[in-house]
mmCIF file of all heavy atoms in Angstrom:
data_model
loop_
_atom_site.group_PDB
_atom_site.id
_atom_site.type_symbol
_atom_site.label_atom_id
_atom_site.label_comp_id
_atom_site.label_asym_id
_atom_site.label_seq_id
_atom_site.Cartn_x
_atom_site.Cartn_y
_atom_site.Cartn_z
ATOM 1 N N GLY C 521 6.000 18.013 -24.206
ATOM 2 C CA GLY C 521 7.269 18.608 -24.561
ATOM 3 C C GLY C 521 7.877 19.509 -23.515
ATOM 4 O O GLY C 521 8.957 20.079 -23.733
ATOM 5 N N LYS C 522 7.219 19.645 -22.363
ATOM 6 C CA LYS C 522 7.737 20.557 -21.342
ATOM 7 C C LYS C 522 7.812 19.943 -19.943
ATOM 8 O O LYS C 522 8.642 20.358 -19.127
ATOM 9 C CB LYS C 522 6.900 21.827 -21.290
ATOM 10 C CG LYS C 522 5.440 21.600 -20.931
ATOM 11 C CD LYS C 522 4.652 22.918 -20.897
ATOM 12 C CE LYS C 522 3.203 22.671 -20.478
ATOM 13 N NZ LYS C 522 2.419 23.928 -20.436
ATOM 14 N N THR C 523 6.969 18.976 -19.641
ATOM 15 C CA THR C 523 6.915 18.404 -18.303
ATOM 16 C C THR C 523 7.901 17.251 -18.172
ATOM 17 O O THR C 523 7.910 16.329 -18.992
ATOM 18 C CB THR C 523 5.496 17.893 -17.974
ATOM 19 O OG1 THR C 523 4.553 18.950 -18.166
ATOM 20 C CG2 THR C 523 5.424 17.407 -16.537
ATOM 21 N N ASP C 524 8.722 17.287 -17.140
ATOM 22 C CA ASP C 524 9.657 16.193 -16.879
ATOM 23 C C ASP C 524 8.913 14.988 -16.317
ATOM 24 O O ASP C 524 8.093 15.118 -15.405
ATOM 25 C CB ASP C 524 10.729 16.620 -15.878
ATOM 26 C CG ASP C 524 11.707 17.624 -16.458
ATOM 27 O OD1 ASP C 524 11.908 17.618 -17.685
ATOM 28 O OD2 ASP C 524 12.272 18.425 -15.685
ATOM 29 N N ILE C 525 9.203 13.820 -16.867
ATOM 30 C CA ILE C 525 8.694 12.572 -16.303
ATOM 31 C C ILE C 525 9.892 11.659 -16.053
ATOM 32 O O ILE C 525 10.945 11.802 -16.676
ATOM 33 C CB ILE C 525 7.647 11.886 -17.199
ATOM 34 C CG1 ILE C 525 8.218 11.629 -18.599
ATOM 35 C CG2 ILE C 525 6.378 12.731 -17.277
ATOM 36 C CD1 ILE C 525 7.260 10.844 -19.498
ATOM 37 N N TYR C 526 9.722 10.707 -15.121
ATOM 38 C CA TYR C 526 10.849 9.940 -14.608
ATOM 39 C C TYR C 526 10.587 8.447 -14.719
ATOM 40 O O TYR C 526 9.448 7.982 -14.576
ATOM 41 C CB TYR C 526 11.098 10.317 -13.145
ATOM 42 C CG TYR C 526 11.518 11.759 -12.967
ATOM 43 C CD1 TYR C 526 10.586 12.790 -13.025
ATOM 44 C CD2 TYR C 526 12.855 12.095 -12.770
ATOM 45 C CE1 TYR C 526 10.966 14.119 -12.891
ATOM 46 C CE2 TYR C 526 13.257 13.420 -12.626
ATOM 47 C CZ TYR C 526 12.297 14.423 -12.690
ATOM 48 O OH TYR C 526 12.690 15.737 -12.557
ATOM 49 N N GLY C 527 11.648 7.703 -14.959
ATOM 50 C CA GLY C 527 11.529 6.259 -15.069
ATOM 51 C C GLY C 527 12.838 5.569 -14.743
ATOM 52 O O GLY C 527 13.820 6.210 -14.350
ATOM 53 N N VAL C 528 12.861 4.245 -14.901
ATOM 54 C CA VAL C 528 14.087 3.458 -14.737
ATOM 55 C C VAL C 528 14.159 2.397 -15.830
ATOM 56 O O VAL C 528 13.135 1.987 -16.382
ATOM 57 C CB VAL C 528 14.189 2.770 -13.352
ATOM 58 C CG1 VAL C 528 14.238 3.777 -12.230
ATOM 59 C CG2 VAL C 528 13.056 1.776 -13.160
ATOM 60 N N ILE C 529 15.379 1.968 -16.122
ATOM 61 C CA ILE C 529 15.635 0.892 -17.082
ATOM 62 C C ILE C 529 16.312 -0.262 -16.344
ATOM 63 O O ILE C 529 17.278 -0.048 -15.603
ATOM 64 C CB ILE C 529 16.547 1.362 -18.221
ATOM 65 C CG1 ILE C 529 15.852 2.438 -19.052
ATOM 66 C CG2 ILE C 529 16.945 0.198 -19.123
ATOM 67 C CD1 ILE C 529 16.736 3.004 -20.155
ATOM 68 N N TYR C 530 15.801 -1.475 -16.570
ATOM 69 C CA TYR C 530 16.423 -2.689 -16.030
ATOM 70 C C TYR C 530 17.060 -3.461 -17.180
ATOM 71 O O TYR C 530 16.442 -3.665 -18.232
ATOM 72 C CB TYR C 530 15.377 -3.584 -15.363
ATOM 73 C CG TYR C 530 14.693 -2.969 -14.174
ATOM 74 C CD1 TYR C 530 13.538 -2.198 -14.344
ATOM 75 C CD2 TYR C 530 15.175 -3.162 -12.892
ATOM 76 C CE1 TYR C 530 12.901 -1.633 -13.255
ATOM 77 C CE2 TYR C 530 14.540 -2.605 -11.806
ATOM 78 C CZ TYR C 530 13.401 -1.830 -11.989
ATOM 79 O OH TYR C 530 12.782 -1.274 -10.914
ATOM 80 N N ARG C 531 18.295 -3.920 -16.963
ATOM 81 C CA ARG C 531 19.008 -4.738 -17.935
ATOM 82 C C ARG C 531 19.334 -6.083 -17.290
ATOM 83 O O ARG C 531 19.502 -6.172 -16.071
ATOM 84 C CB ARG C 531 20.295 -4.042 -18.370
ATOM 85 C CG ARG C 531 20.081 -2.672 -19.014
ATOM 86 C CD ARG C 531 21.412 -1.976 -19.279
ATOM 87 N NE ARG C 531 21.247 -0.667 -19.903
ATOM 88 C CZ ARG C 531 21.030 0.467 -19.235
ATOM 89 N NH1 ARG C 531 20.980 0.443 -17.903
ATOM 90 N NH2 ARG C 531 20.887 1.610 -19.873
ATOM 91 N N PRO C 532 19.481 -7.123 -18.088
ATOM 92 C CA PRO C 532 19.882 -8.414 -17.503
ATOM 93 C C PRO C 532 21.290 -8.326 -16.927
ATOM 94 O O PRO C 532 22.120 -7.532 -17.387
ATOM 95 C CB PRO C 532 19.815 -9.377 -18.684
ATOM 96 C CG PRO C 532 19.881 -8.518 -19.898
ATOM 97 C CD PRO C 532 19.264 -7.212 -19.540
ATOM 98 N N SER C 533 21.561 -9.133 -15.948
ATOM 99 C CA SER C 533 22.881 -9.095 -15.309
ATOM 100 C C SER C 533 23.983 -9.569 -16.254
ATOM 101 O O SER C 533 25.155 -9.256 -16.045
ATOM 102 C CB SER C 533 22.878 -9.941 -14.027
ATOM 103 O OG SER C 533 22.506 -11.275 -14.305
ATOM 104 N N ASN C 534 23.631 -10.317 -17.310
ATOM 105 C CA ASN C 534 24.619 -10.726 -18.315
ATOM 106 C C ASN C 534 24.468 -9.872 -19.577
ATOM 107 O O ASN C 534 24.693 -10.336 -20.693
ATOM 108 C CB ASN C 534 24.474 -12.207 -18.649
ATOM 109 C CG ASN C 534 23.104 -12.543 -19.245
ATOM 110 O OD1 ASN C 534 22.190 -11.717 -19.240
ATOM 111 N ND2 ASN C 534 22.977 -13.763 -19.745
ATOM 112 N N PHE C 535 24.114 -8.629 -19.397
ATOM 113 C CA PHE C 535 23.835 -7.705 -20.488
ATOM 114 C C PHE C 535 25.004 -7.601 -21.466
ATOM 115 O O PHE C 535 26.173 -7.491 -21.073
ATOM 116 C CB PHE C 535 23.522 -6.325 -19.897
ATOM 117 C CG PHE C 535 23.416 -5.225 -20.907
ATOM 118 C CD1 PHE C 535 22.353 -5.181 -21.786
ATOM 119 C CD2 PHE C 535 24.390 -4.238 -20.973
ATOM 120 C CE1 PHE C 535 22.254 -4.164 -22.726
ATOM 121 C CE2 PHE C 535 24.302 -3.213 -21.899
ATOM 122 C CZ PHE C 535 23.226 -3.178 -22.782
#
Side-chain angles (χ1 to χ4, degrees):
K522 61 180 182 180
T523 305
D524 290 333
I525 56 175
Y526 296 78
V528 297
I529 295 177
Y530 297 88
R531 300 174 180 86
S533 57
N534 62 350
F535 171 70

